[in-house]
Amino acid sequence: NEQDAGYTDQKITNVTINGVAFKKFSFGDQAMMKYIQGESYRTIHNSKCYVLEQIKAGSIYSDPTMKPGLSEATLNGYYNAGESIIKTFKFTK
């Protein structure tokens, strides 16, 4: 449960989900007209590492000949719903 030496400025918080303690951190990157953004939740259970991740990835490429896709607000709504889903997680064994 130590912080990666390559990411010393990364903020890690403690989160409890259904009685289980998780370490949570955010991540993101943009390059080559693509992006990724997310939240990672990690815990040790029965001597194994478990990871839950809320991820949003896509392209910032646009072309006027492309059909319109979903709005940014709609996509953000889907992404934000992920946190509610993660909060339902529980170990059954």
Side-chain angles (χ1 to χ4, degrees):
N1 287 352
E2 294 180 21
Q3 190 166 352
D4 187 322
Y7 297 92
T8 55
D9 63 343
Q10 186 173 55
K11 183 180 175 189
I12 297 175
T13 57
N14 295 311
V15 176
T16 301
I17 301 172
N18 291 317
V20 178
F22 283 82
K23 297 288 186 185
K24 177 185 174 187
F25 63 90
S26 300
F27 60 90
D29 191 27
Q30 288 188 7
M32 303 294 288
M33 301 186 83
K34 296 180 181 180
Y35 68 88
I36 187 165
Q37 170 189 339
E39 303 293 329
S40 186
Y41 301 77
R42 299 179 185 212
T43 192
I44 303 296
H45 181 75
N46 292 335
S47 301
K48 294 179 183 167
C49 180
Y50 289 85
V51 178
L52 306 175
E53 289 189 320
Q54 174 186 357
I55 299 172
K56 178 169 118 174
S59 173
I60 56 175
Y61 175 79
S62 67
D63 180 328
T65 65
M66 294 169 54
K67 288 184 181 179
L70 297 174
S71 72
E72 196 67 25
T74 298
L75 294 173
N76 285 335
Y78 291 148
Y79 176 75
N80 293 335
E83 185 176 5
S84 298
I85 295 167
I86 286 172
K87 289 180 179 178
T88 68
F89 176 83
K90 64 181 175 180
F91 287 107
T92 58
K93 293 183 181 185

